[in-house]
Amino acid sequence: MTYAQPLGGLGRLLMVIPWLIKERVVPIREMERRFAIKPEQLVKDMEALNEVDFFVSPEQRFSVEITGEHVKVMEAPEFPATPGFLPFEALGCLVAAKAALEMNPEASDLASAVEKLEKAMIPNAAKALRIFSAARAPWVNQLREWATDRRVVRLRYRSTDKGEISDREVEPWQVYQWMGTWYLWGFSRTKGEPRRYRVDGIQRAKPTGEGFRPPRRVPPPPTTYRRGPNDHRVVFLIRPPARWITEHYSMQVLSEDPEGVATAEFYTRDPRVAARLALRLGPNIHIVEGSAARRELATLAAAVLGRYGCSD
Amino acid sequence: MRKRERLLNLLCLLWSSKHRFTREEIFRRMVPYRNYANPETARRTFERDKKTLRQVGFDIQTSQLDEGPATYTLAQPNNALGEMQLSDSERMALAVSVAMVKLGGALSVDRTLVKLGAGLPGGMAAMNVDMGDLETEKVHDLLGAVQSRSHIFFDYKGSRRKQVEPLRIVNRSGQWYLQAREEQVVKTFRIDRLSGLYVSPREDMYDLALSSEGPNILTAEPWEFGEEEAIETTVRFDAEAAWYVRPRLPSSVGIKEEDDGSLTVVTAVTNRAAFFFWMLDFVADGEIVGPDSMRRAMVEWVMQSLGGEQK
C-alpha cells in the first residue's frame, strides 16, 4: 500500500515504527514509497520518542542505523509479556485505539491489535463497540506537528460566526476534537490572548519561521463559553423541537411552561452568534430580548432571502 | 484512623473475597465507618473513598438487583486479555495510540500505558479527543449483556421501565449511545440518561443481527432519519465557499464538483427542520436549487425566524 500524502506525526508513529519493529531491516526506497517519509524524518521521530521518555524503562530505546540504502533497527524496546488489563483499563485502551484507528485507518498493526483486544474483551460480539470520530479535517496532522515542533504559524482563517476571512499569527499548543469538531488551541499573537480555531475554518496555514516557548502549563482549551464584561445578553423563547440547543450551547434556562416552551438566557461577545442560531432554528426559537441580535438576524435573513429572489 | 489506612483496609476487604459486599456489610466489617456517629457522614466518606480508589485505578464495580441494596466488588484482571498474544509491533501501535489520543471524560489510561510498556510523553503535542463522560461501569455491564445476549431493563427519561435487547455501544462525536432492539424496533438511547440498569441472568435470548432497513441512525445525518416523506434535495454551494463547505459535508451525501469550482450536493431529506438548521450554517453561501417545494419551505422557514408574533 502506498500513501500519496505525507503522514502526520501520529500516522508515522502508528505505521512506520511498528513496521520497522516487524521487519528489522528495510530498504530506504521501500520506506519512502510506502509512507512518503524521508530517513531524516524517521530519525527525528525516534529521537522525539526517546527524548520524551515514551518508554517506561530508561533502558528501553528505539534506534536505527541508516546506511546508503537500508534502515536497520539497532535497538527496539522489549514490551512486557502480558498486559493483564483490568476490564476498565482494557476499555480505555480499546476506545483510544479505535479513535486512533478511525483517524488512521491504514495503520494495519493497530487494526490487528484492536481486533485481538476486541476478541479478548467481548469474544461473542467483537463489533459491539463502535467509535465514530469526526472526519479527518485537512491540516489536523500538520498543525499537530507544528505544535510539537513549537513553530509559529500564520493562518488564513474564516471566523465561524462572522464569516470574515483574515490572517492570524498563532503559537499552536494543541489540536483537539470536541463534540465531533476539530479545533486548534493556541496563543494568538494577533489578538494577544489564547484563542481556539475550528480547523475546518483554516484556508491556509504556513510556519512563519519563528519558534516559540509555550507556557510551562498550557491552560486547557475551553469547553464552555466564558462570559465577558461587554457581552450581549439575549433571551430566547425556545419551543420543544429546539429545546436540545440548551444542552449544546452555554444557556441558562430561566423558566419552562407546562407545554415545554422554555425561556433561556444566552451571553455572547458577538450578537451575530445569537442571530445565527435564531435563523437556523426558524419558527422554533424567538429572540425575546436583545435588540442587537434582532438587527443581526434581520441582516442574515435578508441575505438568505435575497439569494432566493425574495429581497422585499 | 488515617485516610490511607482506611483505603487500604477497604481494598483488602474487597480483594479478600469474590463475594459482593453491600455497604452495610462493609460498615459492619470496618471500624472506621462504624465509628462515625452520623450515618450520613459515614456514607459520604465511603462514597469519597470509592471515588479515590477508582481515580488511582482500582475498578470497584457496583451492581444492584431491582430494589435491593447496591453491592460492591473489586474487578480482577481478565485472564483472556493476558492471552491476546500481541506482537511487538501491535503493542507499539497500541501504546502510541493510547499515549497520543488523550481521552476526555472518565477514562484514565495512564496505568494502561505503563502495562503496555510506555509512559506519558511530556514533550509531544497530543491529539486530544474528547470522548465525553463514559460511565465505565455501566458500559462494562452493557458490553457484557451484548456478549451474553441477555435482556436488560432500565429507566429512561421518565418513561416506563424499558426491556430491550442490547446490540452495540457507540460513541459519536463524544456522546455515548446504546443501540438496542425494543419490541422488534432498533432504537438508540443516550447512555448518560439511562438509570437503574439491570442485566437479566438469562443468556442467548436473541440474535445480534441488526435489521438493515433505513439509514443507520448513528451514521446518518439528522435530516436523513426523520419521519417525513423523503424529498431528494439538490443544493449548490458557491465556488468561493467550496474550500470550507467541503470538509463539513457528511460522507453520506452525493457531491459533485462543477467546472466553475462550485459544489452540487444531493441528499434525501426526511427531517426538514434538521436540514434547514444544517443548511443555514452556511447562511447565503449555498442555495437549494430543487425541488421548488423545498425552496419555498426554506423561504418560509427564514421568514418565520423573523416573525416573533407567529410563535
Side-chain angles (χ1 to χ4, degrees):
Chain A
M1 189 182 288
T2 306
Y3 306 99
Q5 296 294 319
L7 300 166
L10 179 62
R12 281 200 306 274
L13 293 173
L14 282 172
M15 282 186 256
V16 186
I17 293 183
W19 181 66
L20 284 172
I21 287 176
K22 200 158 43 188
E23 301 292 331
R24 297 284 160 164
V25 182
V26 297
I28 289 175
R29 190 176 289 179
E30 175 68 4
M31 183 179 76
E32 288 179 346
R33 188 186 70 76
R34 278 178 174 245
F35 305 109
I37 175 177
K38 298 279 179 203
E40 307 82 66
Q41 183 64 57
L42 177 67
V43 170
K44 197 175 138 198
D45 284 346
M46 282 180 322
E47 283 172 355
L49 276 181
N50 293 330
E51 274 171 21
V52 300
D53 298 328
F54 181 77
F55 303 108
V56 171
S57 157
E59 293 85 45
Q60 303 269 50
R61 287 185 59 78
F62 189 65
S63 66
V64 295
E65 183 182 81
I66 297 178
T67 62
E69 292 181 353
H70 289 84
V71 177
K72 184 178 177 187
V73 175
M74 304 300 288
E75 295 173 279
E78 285 180 18
F79 293 96
T82 51
F85 290 138
L86 290 168
F88 86 103
E89 291 172 331
L91 184 61
C93 186
L94 183 60
V95 170
K98 283 196 147 211
L101 188 60
E102 179 90 357
M103 290 181 272
N104 299 275
E106 306 90 354
S108 56
D109 289 291
L110 181 59
S112 57
V114 163
E115 198 177 329
K116 286 181 183 176
L117 193 52
E118 275 190 313
K119 276 188 183 154
M121 278 179 71
I122 28 181
N124 300 324
K127 300 293 176 197
L129 182 67
R130 303 279 304 272
I131 308 290
F132 293 104
S133 178
R136 275 195 290 177
W139 301 113
V140 165
N141 282 334
Q142 193 72 75
L143 288 167
R144 186 181 159 271
E145 191 113 343
W146 291 329
T148 300
D149 294 344
R150 298 171 181 183
R151 298 168 79 179
V152 177
V153 180
R154 182 172 295 117
L155 306 178
R156 172 145 291 190
Y157 183 70
R158 182 187 187 278
S159 68
T160 310
D161 300 315
K162 299 174 193 169
E164 292 166 357
I165 295 179
S166 59
D167 289 337
R168 330 271 175 104
E169 264 189 28
V170 178
E171 298 174 3
W173 291 337
Q174 193 180 89
V175 179
Y176 69 102
Q177 193 191 111
W178 185 66
M179 302 278 278
T181 301
W182 284 105
Y183 294 94
L184 168 67
W185 172 234
F187 183 82
S188 166
R189 288 187 165 187
T190 313
K191 300 281 181 188
E193 60 182 12
R195 283 287 174 106
R196 72 170 184 180
Y197 302 91
R198 271 183 74 135
V199 172
D200 57 12
I202 297 172
Q203 186 176 22
R204 281 204 295 271
K206 199 176 171 188
T208 62
E210 276 184 274
F212 71 91
R213 182 175 292 193
R216 184 184 290 263
R217 191 177 282 269
V218 171
T223 51
T224 53
Y225 181 73
R226 286 186 207 129
R227 189 175 148 188
N230 301 318
D231 273 9
H232 294 260
R233 177 177 182 268
V234 180
V235 177
F236 288 120
L237 191 76
I238 303 167
R239 287 180 169 274
R243 186 67 165 76
W244 60 270
I245 61 153
T246 59
E247 291 180 18
H248 281 251
Y249 289 81
S250 298
M251 284 189 192
Q252 173 79 37
V253 176
L254 303 174
S255 64
E256 186 167 1
D257 73 13
E259 287 169 2
V261 178
T263 305
E265 189 179 49
F266 180 64
Y267 283 89
T268 175
R269 205 172 299 152
D270 187 337
R272 276 175 282 195
V273 176
R276 208 182 176 92
L277 259 184
L279 179 77
R280 296 174 73 189
L281 289 162
N284 295 320
I285 195 168
H286 171 52
I287 298 173
V288 182
E289 284 177 43
S291 51
R294 262 200 219 109
R295 280 195 300 276
E296 293 296 344
L297 171 61
T299 307
L300 290 176
V304 177
L305 294 173
R307 176 114 204 192
Y308 286 82
C310 332
S311 29
D312 296 328
Chain B
M1 184 181 271
R2 287 198 310 240
K3 181 179 178 183
R4 190 182 298 172
E5 290 169 62
R6 194 177 65 235
L7 291 174
L8 277 174
N9 283 341
L10 177 58
L11 263 186
C12 288
L13 174 66
L14 294 173
W15 222 316
S16 64
S17 166
K18 286 184 178 172
H19 175 68
R20 303 188 74 95
F21 294 97
T22 64
R23 191 173 64 215
E24 284 65 33
E25 285 172 327
I26 292 170
F27 284 12
R28 269 203 303 278
R29 285 171 166 81
M30 284 186 60
V31 177
Y33 296 120
R34 217 166 50 221
N35 278 354
Y36 282 107
N38 182 347
E40 183 53 24
T41 312
R43 189 195 67 78
R44 281 204 303 268
T45 307
F46 176 64
E47 293 302 319
R48 275 199 303 272
D49 289 350
K50 273 192 305 171
K51 192 175 171 187
T52 306
L53 290 173
R54 281 175 178 146
Q55 278 170 344
V56 296
F58 292 100
D59 189 10
I60 297 176
Q61 298 187 332
T62 312
S63 60
Q64 187 164 19
L65 288 177
D66 296 327
E67 300 300 313
T71 57
Y72 304 94
T73 187
L74 191 65
Q76 304 295 318
N78 183 332
N79 289 337
L81 291 168
E83 292 161 9
M84 280 185 290
Q85 298 189 331
L86 295 169
S87 67
D88 279 355
S89 52
E90 288 168 335
R91 225 171 267 256
M92 178 73 194
L94 268 189
V96 167
S97 58
V98 173
M100 292 296 156
V101 181
K102 298 270 191 216
L103 301 176
L107 281 178
S108 166
V109 289
D110 298 5
R111 277 163 47 102
T112 316
L113 261 182
V114 173
K115 288 184 178 178
L116 285 164
L120 284 173
M124 293 175 126
M127 187 89 85
N128 287 37
V129 179
D130 193 328
M131 305 300 293
D133 290 326
L134 175 62
E135 296 167 83
T136 47
E137 203 174 287
K138 220 189 258 179
V139 169
H140 191 259
D141 288 349
L142 290 171
L143 281 174
V146 177
Q147 182 179 327
S148 59
R149 292 185 291 282
S150 302
H151 286 115
I152 59 169
F153 301 80
F154 56 85
D155 299 314
Y156 193 71
K157 286 198 303 185
S159 64
R160 68 181 170 82
R161 195 160 170 81
K162 292 186 175 293
Q163 175 185 349
V164 303
E165 299 167 352
L167 301 169
R168 59 173 57 152
I169 310 295
V170 181
N171 183 293
R172 182 177 175 174
S173 301
Q175 188 67 58
W176 289 93
Y177 299 94
L178 163 70
Q179 197 171 32
R181 206 160 27 216
E182 183 184 27
E183 293 168 356
Q184 303 303 314
V185 179
V186 176
K187 295 182 178 175
T188 303
F189 304 92
R190 268 177 58 164
I191 290 179
D192 60 338
R193 290 179 175 167
L194 180 157
S195 62
L197 176 65
Y198 170 67
V199 180
S200 163
R202 298 176 67 189
E203 299 186 353
D204 293 323
M205 298 302 290
Y206 60 94
D207 188 350
L208 275 180
L210 276 167
S211 47
S212 56
E213 71 277 5
N216 184 338
I217 199 164
L218 294 165
T219 52
E221 293 304 314
W223 66 81
E224 294 173 311
F225 53 78
E227 289 173 1
E228 299 163 15
E229 189 185 345
I231 301 176
E232 190 168 272
T233 305
T234 305
V235 177
R236 176 78 61 90
F237 289 103
D238 299 338
E240 301 73 46
W243 70 269
Y244 81 89
V245 170
R246 185 141 207 159
R248 296 179 194 202
L249 293 175
S251 54
S252 55
V253 303
I255 306 167
K256 186 182 172 204
E257 190 163 339
E258 307 292 346
D259 292 342
D260 62 358
S262 62
L263 298 176
T264 301
V265 174
V266 181
T267 183
V269 176
T270 55
N271 179 341
R272 280 191 288 185
F275 180 69
F276 294 150
F277 184 79
W278 172 74
M279 186 68 210
L280 287 166
D281 193 21
F282 305 105
V283 191
D285 288 332
E287 179 182 353
I288 296 171
V289 290
D292 276 347
S293 61
M294 284 297 278
R295 282 179 65 86
R296 285 195 301 274
M298 169 64 103
V299 168
E300 194 179 335
W301 185 266
V302 174
M303 302 277 270
Q304 285 180 333
S305 76
L306 292 167
E309 61 285 348
Q310 295 173 25
K311 316 276 164 130

mmCIF file of all heavy atoms in Angstrom, chain B residues 242-270:
data_model
loop_
_atom_site.group_PDB
_atom_site.id
_atom_site.type_symbol
_atom_site.label_atom_id
_atom_site.label_comp_id
_atom_site.label_asym_id
_atom_site.label_seq_id
_atom_site.Cartn_x
_atom_site.Cartn_y
_atom_site.Cartn_z
ATOM 1 N N ALA B 242 -16.414 26.801 -1.428
ATOM 2 C CA ALA B 242 -16.222 25.340 -1.517
ATOM 3 C C ALA B 242 -15.154 24.836 -0.558
ATOM 4 O O ALA B 242 -15.293 23.766 0.036
ATOM 5 C CB ALA B 242 -15.874 24.955 -2.948
ATOM 6 N N TRP B 243 -14.082 25.619 -0.355
ATOM 7 C CA TRP B 243 -12.965 25.127 0.467
ATOM 8 C C TRP B 243 -13.374 24.854 1.911
ATOM 9 O O TRP B 243 -12.868 23.956 2.554
ATOM 10 C CB TRP B 243 -11.778 26.104 0.426
ATOM 11 C CG TRP B 243 -12.017 27.408 1.139
ATOM 12 C CD1 TRP B 243 -12.521 28.549 0.593
ATOM 13 C CD2 TRP B 243 -11.794 27.689 2.518
ATOM 14 N NE1 TRP B 243 -12.625 29.530 1.540
ATOM 15 C CE2 TRP B 243 -12.175 29.037 2.737
ATOM 16 C CE3 TRP B 243 -11.288 26.960 3.603
ATOM 17 C CZ2 TRP B 243 -12.078 29.655 3.975
ATOM 18 C CZ3 TRP B 243 -11.198 27.572 4.826
ATOM 19 C CH2 TRP B 243 -11.584 28.906 5.017
ATOM 20 N N TYR B 244 -14.312 25.653 2.427
ATOM 21 C CA TYR B 244 -14.705 25.385 3.816
ATOM 22 C C TYR B 244 -16.003 24.596 3.917
ATOM 23 O O TYR B 244 -16.293 24.006 4.946
ATOM 24 C CB TYR B 244 -14.756 26.667 4.658
ATOM 25 C CG TYR B 244 -16.002 27.504 4.518
ATOM 26 C CD1 TYR B 244 -17.100 27.283 5.319
ATOM 27 C CD2 TYR B 244 -16.054 28.511 3.582
ATOM 28 C CE1 TYR B 244 -18.253 28.043 5.181
ATOM 29 C CE2 TYR B 244 -17.188 29.275 3.440
ATOM 30 C CZ TYR B 244 -18.284 29.037 4.232
ATOM 31 O OH TYR B 244 -19.415 29.792 4.090
ATOM 32 N N VAL B 245 -16.774 24.567 2.842
ATOM 33 C CA VAL B 245 -18.010 23.769 2.858
ATOM 34 C C VAL B 245 -17.657 22.280 2.784
ATOM 35 O O VAL B 245 -18.191 21.457 3.512
ATOM 36 C CB VAL B 245 -18.927 24.154 1.671
ATOM 37 C CG1 VAL B 245 -20.084 23.184 1.540
ATOM 38 C CG2 VAL B 245 -19.437 25.580 1.835
ATOM 39 N N ARG B 246 -16.715 21.972 1.910
ATOM 40 C CA ARG B 246 -16.417 20.558 1.625
ATOM 41 C C ARG B 246 -16.087 19.734 2.877
ATOM 42 O O ARG B 246 -16.669 18.656 3.067
ATOM 43 C CB ARG B 246 -15.289 20.479 0.594
ATOM 44 C CG ARG B 246 -14.998 19.090 0.169
ATOM 45 C CD ARG B 246 -14.702 18.962 -1.303
ATOM 46 N NE ARG B 246 -15.058 17.618 -1.699
ATOM 47 C CZ ARG B 246 -15.320 17.255 -2.923
ATOM 48 N NH1 ARG B 246 -15.314 18.136 -3.871
ATOM 49 N NH2 ARG B 246 -15.607 16.013 -3.192
ATOM 50 N N PRO B 247 -15.179 20.195 3.754
ATOM 51 C CA PRO B 247 -14.897 19.360 4.937
ATOM 52 C C PRO B 247 -16.094 19.201 5.861
ATOM 53 O O PRO B 247 -16.091 18.327 6.722
ATOM 54 C CB PRO B 247 -13.786 20.130 5.668
ATOM 55 C CG PRO B 247 -13.255 21.114 4.708
ATOM 56 C CD PRO B 247 -14.345 21.406 3.740
ATOM 57 N N ARG B 248 -17.109 20.064 5.716
ATOM 58 C CA ARG B 248 -18.271 19.967 6.609
ATOM 59 C C ARG B 248 -19.400 19.146 5.999
ATOM 60 O O ARG B 248 -20.460 19.008 6.591
ATOM 61 C CB ARG B 248 -18.801 21.370 6.927
ATOM 62 C CG ARG B 248 -17.792 22.191 7.686
ATOM 63 C CD ARG B 248 -18.296 23.576 7.976
ATOM 64 N NE ARG B 248 -17.192 24.416 8.412
ATOM 65 C CZ ARG B 248 -17.323 25.511 9.110
ATOM 66 N NH1 ARG B 248 -18.503 25.920 9.457
ATOM 67 N NH2 ARG B 248 -16.272 26.225 9.463
ATOM 68 N N LEU B 249 -19.192 18.628 4.787
ATOM 69 C CA LEU B 249 -20.237 17.829 4.163
ATOM 70 C C LEU B 249 -20.161 16.403 4.689
ATOM 71 O O LEU B 249 -19.069 15.828 4.772
ATOM 72 C CB LEU B 249 -20.063 17.824 2.640
ATOM 73 C CG LEU B 249 -20.295 19.162 1.941
ATOM 74 C CD1 LEU B 249 -19.959 19.040 0.457
ATOM 75 C CD2 LEU B 249 -21.744 19.611 2.101
ATOM 76 N N PRO B 250 -21.301 15.818 5.054
ATOM 77 C CA PRO B 250 -21.270 14.441 5.543
ATOM 78 C C PRO B 250 -20.930 13.464 4.415
ATOM 79 O O PRO B 250 -21.197 13.749 3.243
ATOM 80 C CB PRO B 250 -22.701 14.216 6.048
ATOM 81 C CG PRO B 250 -23.535 15.235 5.376
ATOM 82 C CD PRO B 250 -22.648 16.400 5.063
ATOM 83 N N SER B 251 -20.364 12.334 4.791
ATOM 84 C CA SER B 251 -19.931 11.371 3.770
ATOM 85 C C SER B 251 -21.129 10.718 3.082
ATOM 86 O O SER B 251 -21.003 10.151 2.007
ATOM 87 C CB SER B 251 -19.047 10.306 4.404
ATOM 88 O OG SER B 251 -19.726 9.737 5.500
ATOM 89 N N SER B 252 -22.318 10.809 3.715
ATOM 90 C CA SER B 252 -23.476 10.094 3.162
ATOM 91 C C SER B 252 -24.114 10.817 1.967
ATOM 92 O O SER B 252 -24.942 10.235 1.278
ATOM 93 C CB SER B 252 -24.521 9.908 4.263
ATOM 94 O OG SER B 252 -24.857 11.160 4.830
ATOM 95 N N VAL B 253 -23.755 12.088 1.703
ATOM 96 C CA VAL B 253 -24.417 12.809 0.605
ATOM 97 C C VAL B 253 -23.593 12.698 -0.681
ATOM 98 O O VAL B 253 -22.387 12.486 -0.637
ATOM 99 C CB VAL B 253 -24.626 14.315 0.940
ATOM 100 C CG1 VAL B 253 -25.418 14.484 2.214
ATOM 101 C CG2 VAL B 253 -23.299 15.060 1.041
ATOM 102 N N GLY B 254 -24.302 12.824 -1.812
ATOM 103 C CA GLY B 254 -23.615 12.811 -3.107
ATOM 104 C C GLY B 254 -23.051 14.197 -3.390
ATOM 105 O O GLY B 254 -23.750 15.192 -3.231
ATOM 106 N N ILE B 255 -21.759 14.280 -3.769
ATOM 107 C CA ILE B 255 -21.117 15.575 -4.004
ATOM 108 C C ILE B 255 -20.553 15.592 -5.427
ATOM 109 O O ILE B 255 -19.868 14.661 -5.829
ATOM 110 C CB ILE B 255 -19.943 15.818 -3.031
ATOM 111 C CG1 ILE B 255 -20.414 15.655 -1.580
ATOM 112 C CG2 ILE B 255 -19.324 17.204 -3.244
ATOM 113 C CD1 ILE B 255 -19.275 15.578 -0.585
ATOM 114 N N LYS B 256 -20.838 16.684 -6.158
ATOM 115 C CA LYS B 256 -20.247 16.832 -7.488
ATOM 116 C C LYS B 256 -19.549 18.182 -7.561
ATOM 117 O O LYS B 256 -20.157 19.208 -7.220
ATOM 118 C CB LYS B 256 -21.340 16.746 -8.554
ATOM 119 C CG LYS B 256 -20.779 16.738 -9.955
ATOM 120 C CD LYS B 256 -21.899 16.698 -10.977
ATOM 121 C CE LYS B 256 -21.305 16.888 -12.363
ATOM 122 N NZ LYS B 256 -22.290 17.410 -13.300
ATOM 123 N N GLU B 257 -18.296 18.175 -7.986
ATOM 124 C CA GLU B 257 -17.588 19.439 -8.136
ATOM 125 C C GLU B 257 -17.773 19.912 -9.571
ATOM 126 O O GLU B 257 -17.416 19.218 -10.523
ATOM 127 C CB GLU B 257 -16.099 19.261 -7.812
ATOM 128 C CG GLU B 257 -15.410 20.594 -7.732
ATOM 129 C CD GLU B 257 -14.065 20.518 -7.022
ATOM 130 O OE1 GLU B 257 -13.836 19.572 -6.258
ATOM 131 O OE2 GLU B 257 -13.255 21.421 -7.270
ATOM 132 N N GLU B 258 -18.379 21.080 -9.738
ATOM 133 C CA GLU B 258 -18.656 21.604 -11.080
ATOM 134 C C GLU B 258 -17.393 22.250 -11.662
ATOM 135 O O GLU B 258 -16.431 22.513 -10.947
ATOM 136 C CB GLU B 258 -19.794 22.649 -11.017
ATOM 137 C CG GLU B 258 -21.052 22.172 -10.320
ATOM 138 C CD GLU B 258 -21.801 21.070 -11.078
ATOM 139 O OE1 GLU B 258 -21.508 20.850 -12.268
ATOM 140 O OE2 GLU B 258 -22.668 20.430 -10.457
ATOM 141 N N ASP B 259 -17.428 22.520 -12.985
ATOM 142 C CA ASP B 259 -16.258 23.090 -13.661
ATOM 143 C C ASP B 259 -15.850 24.449 -13.081
ATOM 144 O O ASP B 259 -14.688 24.809 -13.057
ATOM 145 C CB ASP B 259 -16.541 23.249 -15.172
ATOM 146 C CG ASP B 259 -16.655 21.891 -15.838
ATOM 147 O OD1 ASP B 259 -16.186 20.906 -15.215
ATOM 148 O OD2 ASP B 259 -17.236 21.814 -16.934
ATOM 149 N N ASP B 260 -16.856 25.209 -12.602
ATOM 150 C CA ASP B 260 -16.537 26.538 -12.070
ATOM 151 C C ASP B 260 -16.084 26.493 -10.604
ATOM 152 O O ASP B 260 -15.891 27.525 -9.974
ATOM 153 C CB ASP B 260 -17.747 27.475 -12.210
ATOM 154 C CG ASP B 260 -18.954 26.976 -11.403
ATOM 155 O OD1 ASP B 260 -18.851 25.902 -10.773
ATOM 156 O OD2 ASP B 260 -19.996 27.664 -11.424
ATOM 157 N N GLY B 261 -15.947 25.280 -10.063
ATOM 158 C CA GLY B 261 -15.470 25.133 -8.686
ATOM 159 C C GLY B 261 -16.590 25.054 -7.659
ATOM 160 O O GLY B 261 -16.341 24.784 -6.480
ATOM 161 N N SER B 262 -17.837 25.295 -8.089
ATOM 162 C CA SER B 262 -18.950 25.187 -7.125
ATOM 163 C C SER B 262 -19.241 23.708 -6.845
ATOM 164 O O SER B 262 -18.800 22.825 -7.580
ATOM 165 C CB SER B 262 -20.192 25.894 -7.670
ATOM 166 O OG SER B 262 -20.604 25.255 -8.866
ATOM 167 N N LEU B 263 -19.983 23.472 -5.766
ATOM 168 C CA LEU B 263 -20.298 22.097 -5.379
ATOM 169 C C LEU B 263 -21.794 21.864 -5.484
ATOM 170 O O LEU B 263 -22.589 22.689 -5.036
ATOM 171 C CB LEU B 263 -19.877 21.835 -3.930
ATOM 172 C CG LEU B 263 -18.397 21.955 -3.572
ATOM 173 C CD1 LEU B 263 -18.212 21.765 -2.062
ATOM 174 C CD2 LEU B 263 -17.578 20.910 -4.322
ATOM 175 N N THR B 264 -22.163 20.727 -6.066
ATOM 176 C CA THR B 264 -23.569 20.329 -6.078
ATOM 177 C C THR B 264 -23.721 19.120 -5.158
ATOM 178 O O THR B 264 -22.983 18.149 -5.275
ATOM 179 C CB THR B 264 -24.024 19.966 -7.505
ATOM 180 O OG1 THR B 264 -23.819 21.112 -8.327
ATOM 181 C CG2 THR B 264 -25.484 19.582 -7.540
ATOM 182 N N VAL B 265 -24.667 19.228 -4.257
ATOM 183 C CA VAL B 265 -24.874 18.184 -3.253
ATOM 184 C C VAL B 265 -26.294 17.671 -3.355
ATOM 185 O O VAL B 265 -27.237 18.462 -3.440
ATOM 186 C CB VAL B 265 -24.627 18.774 -1.837
ATOM 187 C CG1 VAL B 265 -24.975 17.770 -0.760
ATOM 188 C CG2 VAL B 265 -23.186 19.248 -1.695
ATOM 189 N N VAL B 266 -26.449 16.357 -3.368
ATOM 190 C CA VAL B 266 -27.788 15.764 -3.436
ATOM 191 C C VAL B 266 -27.990 14.887 -2.197
ATOM 192 O O VAL B 266 -27.146 14.051 -1.880
ATOM 193 C CB VAL B 266 -27.956 14.915 -4.715
ATOM 194 C CG1 VAL B 266 -29.368 14.332 -4.783
ATOM 195 C CG2 VAL B 266 -27.662 15.753 -5.957
ATOM 196 N N THR B 267 -29.116 15.099 -1.531
ATOM 197 C CA THR B 267 -29.364 14.310 -0.315
ATOM 198 C C THR B 267 -30.869 14.106 -0.123
ATOM 199 O O THR B 267 -31.666 14.926 -0.565
ATOM 200 C CB THR B 267 -28.752 15.013 0.922
ATOM 201 O OG1 THR B 267 -28.935 14.195 2.067
ATOM 202 C CG2 THR B 267 -29.368 16.364 1.193
ATOM 203 N N ALA B 268 -31.222 13.009 0.526
ATOM 204 C CA ALA B 268 -32.635 12.734 0.809
ATOM 205 C C ALA B 268 -32.990 13.340 2.164
ATOM 206 O O ALA B 268 -32.336 13.045 3.160
ATOM 207 C CB ALA B 268 -32.879 11.237 0.830
ATOM 208 N N VAL B 269 -34.019 14.190 2.169
ATOM 209 C CA VAL B 269 -34.386 14.895 3.406
ATOM 210 C C VAL B 269 -35.680 14.302 3.969
ATOM 211 O O VAL B 269 -36.704 14.276 3.288
ATOM 212 C CB VAL B 269 -34.565 16.405 3.126
ATOM 213 C CG1 VAL B 269 -35.040 17.130 4.380
ATOM 214 C CG2 VAL B 269 -33.260 17.011 2.625
ATOM 215 N N THR B 270 -35.616 13.808 5.196
ATOM 216 C CA THR B 270 -36.842 13.315 5.855
ATOM 217 C C THR B 270 -37.110 14.093 7.149
ATOM 218 O O THR B 270 -38.001 13.754 7.906
ATOM 219 C CB THR B 270 -36.725 11.806 6.187
ATOM 220 O OG1 THR B 270 -35.555 11.609 6.961
ATOM 221 C CG2 THR B 270 -36.675 10.953 4.941
#
